[in-house]
Amino acid sequence: MELTERSSQLGLLERRLADLLRGGTSPTDRPVTVLTGPVGSGKTALAQAFARRACDAGARVIGASASRAERSVPLEVVRQLVRAVPSCAADAPDIRARLARLLDAGALAWIDADPADAENARLTAAIGRALLELTSRGPLVIVVDDIHHADVPSLRCLDYVARRLSGLSLLMVLTEAPRTRPWQADVHAEMLQPAKLHRIRLPLLTAEGTFQLLAQRLDIPLARSIAEESHRISGGNPLLVHALADDQAAAPRSADAPAVGESFREAVLSCLYRCDRLVLNAARVLAVTGEPLHGSLLPHLVDARLHPALGAVDKSTSAGLIDEQGLRHPAVTQAVIDGMTAEERVRLHLGAARLLHDDGAPPARIAPHLVDIGELAEPWMAQTLLDAGEQALLDGEVETALRYLRRAHRSGVGECLRARIRSALARAEWRLDPQATIPHLVSVATAIRAGHLGSQQAAGPIQYLLWHGEIDKAVDLVRHLSERSDPADPQSVAELLIITGWISTLYPGVMVDRPAPAVAARDPLTLARVKHGLSGLILLSGVLARGDAGVVEEAERTLSTTGPDDEPNMWRVICALVAMIYADQLDLADDWCDRLDRHLATPHQPTPSATLTALRAAVAGRLGDLPRAGKLADEALGQLSPKGWGVVIGIPLAVRIRALTFMDQLDTAAACLQVPVPPAIFETPLGLHYLHARGTHALAAGSPEAALADFQLCGQLMQRWQLDFSGLVPWRTESARALLRMGRRQQARKLVRDELARLRPVHVRYRAAALRVLAATEEGQERIPHLRSAVRLLRQCGDRMELAHNLADLGHAYEQAGDRRQARAATRSARALAEECGIPTLWPSALSTRDGATGSRAGGAVLVQGLTDTESRMATLAAQGHTNREIAEKLFLTVSAIEQRMTRIYRKLDVNSRSELAGRLRFDRPGTTVPDPLKRGTDPPGGRPSGPRPR
């Protein structure tokens, strides 16, 4: 082992050697030198280096090494010294022979005799005198390694020699590791009296010393990068640092952190086995309990016979592995645990659990020990795991909760306790994957019907049934709870009122019996509990039922005082955000989404994270940031499986479909429509967003009839549920847009005017959208005031996508009115906004032609089966004789985009030139329209799933 940071200690030994060689030792000098340091600190390497230098300097050196295994072998250390004599005193065969005879006699005498026996004392003196005679033949150095393990007779002989060294040419160098208590206290004290010792202490390495040692074994840059952490792990113990270097050299590639492998684990165990047995036992207890050195469990879990020596366990006696905080590093803890048998671990965990339980410790302290034992034999154990799991859920530690709850579930417990465990398991599994809750929900439902669970434990599972669209089962369970609950119990009444409130909000068309009025229901504390449990729903209902924008301040208060760390709070946060979105406070909602995303301290909880990401996508979509909305929606959909999303899939799926549609990626949007959704989604307000997105895609893909059916279904449901609020879905405006595409201008105008009459002044976004459609029902200059009003409103609410389309329509209206300057300004603004929003094609409103047919900015566009709206307009313009550049100018596209789309149009229509295209579209000459245009198909690319109707 390299002598790093040991030069001063070696220098002291060399000075004593120089004194020996000069013969200058005086009677006052302390003749024995002891190298003291923790196990693994390099004492042996330093003694060996000194022995080599002594030989090189002309001194004779004899050495021995003591061992714990040979403590009971009398005179073993002296015998090793005698064996070493021939190499440096070949001229003293008589001394060697005499020592051999004395050792044989002493070995026999010490086996059975009392150490204080007079005969043994005479043998000790005879052996000591024989050893001293070796000094008459020149300077002699005696080196004994690990003197703390030496057998008692050898210690007595060496003590005899040490007391007579003054004036002799002999230097005795011993190495010793601090112990919690000496092997033979009296003999040890006699041998190592401070008055006759020169003690040289070897400290553990500093951080710089750790680097120097690593640099001798590894590349210097690598050694520098891992030195600091290596020092934290090893404590500066050279043996452990060498082991880390071995692991690093064997690692497949270099890293900034030390590689902790088999060499390090073996070195840790080697150090502990070379320390006292008490240190090994203490390390095992500390590894299992994770307590500090002076914690309450250690004295009870180590061998009772060793208790008095516990105070001596420290850095020096434990090779630097144990300090006041316990084991110095998690890597050390893992090495100790790996070195234990399964039976040893179970014994310590069980003992720790029982001690903590008897002391009244909280479940969170006891549960880690119960997880790793075999059978949960005592009744309190499973209950403790359940309590600890529920607390971990409240703290947001889902993985920990699952570990406790799964272990509790595997134990043999009663039906009631098992039902509570399954309920808690469902809550924990839902955080990670809602689909994983389904098996638990089946068991929980059975337990509720059997009366094993009350309303408090059933509330969470019933919410998950609503999430998965199992509304019939949820209503049935509420009925069972109502029948069994005690009307005088405020807690039961409050939970039932909260559950029924959730059902009524998520499934407004479902009738559910509320608890009968009782004294408990009018209790102020019960009312306060219900109000708190339904606070998020109250905010949401205020917006949906009344369009109340005043709830925004209350929503902000909720968000500022509530985090999404536990489940009840998470639902309140989601409801508050949705209320902000429906109240059209999008910038505020976006800001809160970012804050909550940073605050969410549970990155390993996909369900809350995915839900928050879906809401961020919805905000981005309403703000007109289509690329961001599509990306966030795709990210949210990737965090959970389609089945895991349940009915809530309507949020991210609707945002993604609309974003792709407006970005003219109709085929990809059509593929999203093939994602299966639960039938129950159409019984929730979430299904309205899905229907809205599906209708928008159908309209863009050339199926206005299908789009109108979806929009009108939204209206029917909203009216039936008494949620006819444009912030949810502006179904009248969207239906009017579809009617315009179908050429039914009067119906469209009537519907959009009805929408404008219903809107409040604060609903600027929806008023602007309605004004744009109203403008499309007008002729000539009459469109301009409506479009200008819409642009002014859209600048207030920040919907850049809708603003871009309005500006495009306004520019076209100005152009038709002959105001080219205003037309150019509006068109430039529209293009800039479209580029910001990621809109490749600006879709104008369906403007009416004089003959009442559906048209576009290009005049009477032929609507061709198999082509989208944009492709139909391109085909019409090309057939009329417009160049690609002119078409690009009219449709706000690049020339390359027009070329790519024209290639697609030729392929779809199986034509090879513009003349063939004109013939296909029945154009006799450029600029004329077709009197009898072809009818369009009603199915979008890839087919369109039929829209289920509510029950």
Side-chain angles (χ1 to χ4, degrees):
M1 186 177 289
E2 291 81 357
L3 298 179
T4 303
E5 292 189 334
R6 299 291 183 257
S7 57
S8 61
Q9 290 84 358
L10 183 59
L12 288 173
L13 291 173
E14 289 176 338
R15 285 197 291 273
R16 293 189 66 78
L17 175 64
D19 292 341
L20 174 69
L21 296 176
R22 286 197 304 268
T25 52
S26 64
T28 59
D29 286 338
R30 290 173 287 183
V32 179
T33 301
V34 178
L35 303 179
T36 301
V39 170
S41 59
K43 301 181 297 297
T44 301
L46 180 59
Q48 290 173 348
F50 170 69
R52 288 192 294 271
R53 299 199 179 188
C55 285
D56 294 342
R60 295 175 299 160
V61 179
I62 58 176
S65 178
S67 167
R68 179 188 297 169
E70 297 173 343
R71 282 176 175 177
S72 59
V73 181
L75 296 170
E76 175 58 28
V77 171
V78 176
R79 197 178 295 276
Q80 291 183 44
L81 294 174
V82 173
R83 291 195 194 103
V85 169
S87 63
C88 59
D91 56 341
D94 54 334
I95 298 177
R96 293 197 309 277
R98 181 153 41 93
L99 276 170
R101 289 192 299 273
L102 290 171
L103 290 175
D104 291 340
L108 293 174
W110 256 290
I111 289 178
D112 299 320
D114 184 345
D117 186 85
E119 179 62 25
N120 289 341
R122 285 194 294 272
L123 285 170
T124 300
I127 294 171
R129 285 194 296 272
L131 289 173
L132 289 173
E133 288 182 28
L134 294 174
T135 62
S136 63
R137 291 162 176 78
L140 177 67
V141 177
I142 296 177
V143 179
V144 179
D145 194 21
D146 288 341
I147 191 64
H148 48 276
H149 288 318
D151 59 277
V152 173
S154 293
L155 280 175
R156 292 189 181 280
C157 292
L158 291 174
D159 179 51
Y160 180 93
V161 172
R163 282 186 281 109
R164 292 163 176 78
L165 285 182
S166 297
L168 298 178
S169 298
L170 189 151
L171 177 62
M172 188 180 295
V173 178
L174 313 175
T175 71
E176 178 196 33
R179 318 299 289 173
T180 58
R181 59 181 183 178
W183 154 235
Q184 288 288 342
D186 55 342
V187 182
H188 189 272
E190 183 72 21
M191 171 68 193
L192 301 179
Q193 293 181 37
K196 60 184 180 184
L197 293 183
H198 183 82
R199 192 176 293 275
I200 299 176
R201 301 186 184 277
L202 275 66
L204 296 172
L205 300 178
T206 64
E208 181 61 26
T210 301
F211 161 68
Q212 293 174 10
L213 192 56
L214 289 171
Q216 296 170 7
R217 303 282 309 281
L218 305 170
D219 293 338
I220 291 179
L222 175 59
R224 178 62 71 186
S225 67
I226 66 172
E228 185 176 350
E229 183 62 21
S230 296
H231 184 259
R232 276 196 291 268
I233 294 174
S234 66
N237 186 304
L239 180 63
L240 300 183
V241 176
H242 275 285
L244 288 173
D246 291 339
D247 287 331
Q248 193 69 45
R253 58 177 179 272
S254 300
D256 293 335
V260 179
E262 191 63 30
S263 295
F264 179 79
R265 287 191 287 271
E266 291 177 352
V268 168
L269 296 177
S270 173
C271 286
L272 289 175
Y273 281 117
R274 289 162 59 190
C275 294
D276 288 334
R277 184 72 182 177
L278 174 61
V279 173
L280 176 61
N281 291 342
R284 288 172 171 172
V285 172
L286 295 175
V288 167
T289 63
E291 283 200 328
L293 177 59
H294 300 297
S296 60
L297 297 179
L298 180 61
H300 299 283
L301 294 177
V302 298
D303 191 339
R305 295 169 299 177
L306 303 177
H307 284 180
L310 270 177
V313 177
D314 57 17
K315 286 184 180 180
S316 63
T317 57
S318 67
L321 297 173
I322 299 176
D323 55 22
E324 291 293 321
Q325 303 306 315
L327 292 177
R328 67 168 301 104
H329 194 275
V332 175
T333 300
Q334 190 59 51
V336 175
I337 290 176
D338 290 345
M340 299 169 63
T341 65
E343 291 77 11
E344 289 171 332
R345 290 195 298 269
V346 168
R347 178 182 60 81
L348 289 176
H349 278 301
L350 185 58
R354 284 175 172 154
L355 286 169
L356 290 170
H357 178 260
D358 293 342
D359 289 344
R365 282 196 66 194
I366 306 172
H369 302 294
L370 296 175
V371 169
D372 295 320
I373 68 175
E375 181 183 0
L376 300 179
E378 301 178 37
W380 57 268
M381 293 181 173
Q383 181 65 54
T384 299
L385 285 169
L386 172 60
D387 295 341
E390 290 180 331
Q391 183 60 49
L393 272 180
L394 290 176
D395 296 339
E397 299 172 0
V398 182
E399 295 287 355
T400 301
L402 279 174
R403 198 157 55 94
Y404 296 160
L405 295 170
R406 286 169 179 168
R407 179 64 189 90
H409 183 254
R410 292 196 302 270
S411 63
V413 295
E415 291 298 326
C416 289
L417 184 56
R418 183 175 296 277
R420 288 184 57 196
I421 293 170
R422 291 299 289 263
S423 175
L425 265 174
R427 290 170 54 200
E429 295 280 14
W430 182 84
R431 296 284 192 93
L432 300 182
D433 181 8
Q435 187 174 351
T437 64
I438 296 175
H440 300 299
L441 295 179
V442 175
S443 298
V444 170
T446 303
I448 293 173
R449 294 188 186 97
H452 297 316
L453 287 178
S455 54
Q456 186 174 5
Q457 293 82 23
I462 289 176
Q463 281 185 322
Y464 307 143
L465 288 171
L466 299 178
W467 174 283
H468 286 295
E470 300 287 350
I471 181 61
D472 292 336
K473 293 180 180 178
V475 172
D476 179 61
L477 294 181
V478 171
R479 180 176 58 79
H480 276 279
L481 290 171
S482 298
E483 292 172 354
R484 295 176 180 273
S485 66
D486 181 3
D489 179 16
Q491 181 70 26
S492 298
V493 172
E495 292 295 342
L496 282 171
L497 287 172
I498 292 171
I499 294 171
T500 54
W502 276 100
I503 294 177
S504 299
T505 302
L506 291 178
Y507 293 85
V510 173
M511 299 299 295
V512 57
D513 295 332
R514 294 182 180 273
V519 175
R522 294 190 292 271
D523 175 63
L525 292 178
T526 303
L527 293 174
R529 188 181 293 117
V530 172
K531 184 177 180 181
H532 181 69
L534 295 177
S535 58
L537 294 181
I538 292 170
L539 290 173
L540 195 53
S541 299
V543 174
L544 292 177
R546 302 183 302 275
D548 187 1
V551 302
V552 173
E553 292 183 5
E554 183 61 32
E556 275 207 277
R557 279 194 292 271
T558 298
L559 293 172
S560 62
T561 57
T562 307
D565 297 325
D566 62 70
E567 190 172 331
N569 284 342
M570 193 199 75
W571 289 116
R572 282 192 283 275
V573 165
I574 290 173
C575 288
L577 286 173
V578 174
M580 278 186 178
I581 294 171
Y582 286 157
D584 207 27
Q585 299 295 318
L586 299 181
D587 289 332
L588 190 60
D590 193 38
D591 180 56
W592 273 107
C593 282
D594 287 340
R595 287 195 220 176
L596 291 168
D597 189 53
R598 292 192 297 269
H599 170 78
L600 195 61
T602 52
H604 303 298
Q605 298 187 40
T607 304
S609 176
T611 307
L612 184 59
T613 303
L615 293 180
R616 295 175 68 196
V619 172
R622 293 195 176 210
L623 286 171
D625 191 345
L626 297 182
R628 181 168 179 257
K631 179 182 177 182
L632 287 171
D634 190 46
E635 179 183 332
L637 289 168
Q639 289 180 275
L640 300 176
S641 65
K643 193 171 182 179
W645 270 104
V647 297
V648 187
I649 197 173
I651 298 176
L653 201 55
V655 173
R656 180 159 169 74
I657 292 169
R658 281 176 58 81
L660 291 170
T661 298
F662 284 115
M663 289 191 294
D664 204 24
Q665 299 179 30
L666 298 184
D667 292 342
T668 309
C672 290
L673 288 168
Q674 303 303 316
V675 175
V677 297
I681 193 176
F682 301 101
E683 299 184 59
T684 75
L686 302 174
L688 300 174
H689 298 295
Y690 180 81
L691 289 170
H692 184 202
R694 193 171 72 178
T696 302
H697 176 267
L699 194 61
S703 299
E705 295 86 356
L708 181 62
D710 280 338
F711 298 146
Q712 289 182 337
L713 178 56
C714 286
Q716 293 168 14
L717 293 173
M718 292 166 68
Q719 289 174 335
R720 182 184 305 169
W721 298 337
Q722 298 182 358
L723 296 176
D724 196 357
F725 166 52
S726 296
L728 194 54
V729 170
W731 68 272
R732 291 180 179 85
T733 299
E734 297 296 344
S735 297
R737 203 187 306 274
L739 288 168
L740 277 174
R741 293 289 178 91
M742 297 164 64
R744 296 155 65 177
R745 186 175 60 176
Q746 294 302 325
Q747 289 177 272
R749 181 185 292 120
K750 181 179 182 303
L751 201 57
V752 76
R753 287 192 180 279
D754 184 23
E755 175 78 340
L756 287 168
R758 297 173 59 86
L759 290 171
R760 298 180 183 180
V762 295
H763 300 149
V764 292
R765 177 189 309 277
Y766 314 111
R767 181 173 294 277
L771 286 172
R772 181 187 173 212
V773 178
L774 180 62
T777 66
E778 304 291 349
E779 296 284 350
Q781 293 188 3
E782 295 177 2
R783 300 199 303 273
I784 294 177
H786 299 312
L787 292 171
R788 291 180 63 180
S789 297
V791 168
R792 186 181 67 256
L793 293 172
L794 287 168
R795 292 189 191 280
Q796 296 178 25
C797 68
D799 189 340
R800 294 180 297 164
M801 181 186 69
E802 187 66 24
L803 179 59
H805 287 298
N806 268 273
L807 286 170
D809 285 359
L810 182 59
H812 179 59
Y814 278 132
E815 184 179 0
Q816 287 189 333
D819 191 343
R820 294 185 177 276
R821 184 180 64 82
Q822 293 275 31
R824 284 195 296 270
T827 300
R828 280 196 300 268
S829 298
R831 286 177 178 170
L833 276 172
E835 185 175 351
E836 288 180 16
C837 297
I839 308 172
T841 306
L842 282 170
W843 298 349
S845 297
L847 305 177
S848 299
T849 59
R850 292 184 179 180
D851 59 3
T854 302
S856 72
R857 289 193 306 270
V862 177
L863 306 180
V864 183
Q865 183 174 5
L867 299 184
T868 66
D869 280 358
T870 304
E871 291 171 346
S872 293
R873 289 194 291 274
M874 288 183 186
T876 301
L877 290 168
Q880 289 175 333
H882 293 281
T883 65
N884 286 348
R885 184 171 297 281
E886 290 171 340
I887 297 172
E889 288 289 330
K890 290 179 178 293
L891 298 185
F892 306 101
L893 289 170
T894 63
V895 176
S896 62
I898 296 298
E899 292 172 351
Q900 294 172 9
R901 284 170 169 79
M902 288 302 300
T903 301
R904 191 185 310 163
I905 291 168
Y906 283 3
R907 186 173 63 253
K908 287 183 177 181
L909 299 183
D910 194 22
V911 297
N912 297 314
S913 65
R914 296 200 176 201
S915 59
E916 290 184 20
L917 178 62
R920 177 68 182 272
L921 300 184
R922 302 182 185 177
F923 276 90
D924 296 329
R925 63 182 184 278
T928 62
T929 60
V930 179
D932 183 23
L934 299 174
K935 291 187 178 290
R936 306 169 68 182
T938 58
D939 292 331
R944 176 177 179 274
S946 59
R949 297 296 187 262
R951 296 181 299 183

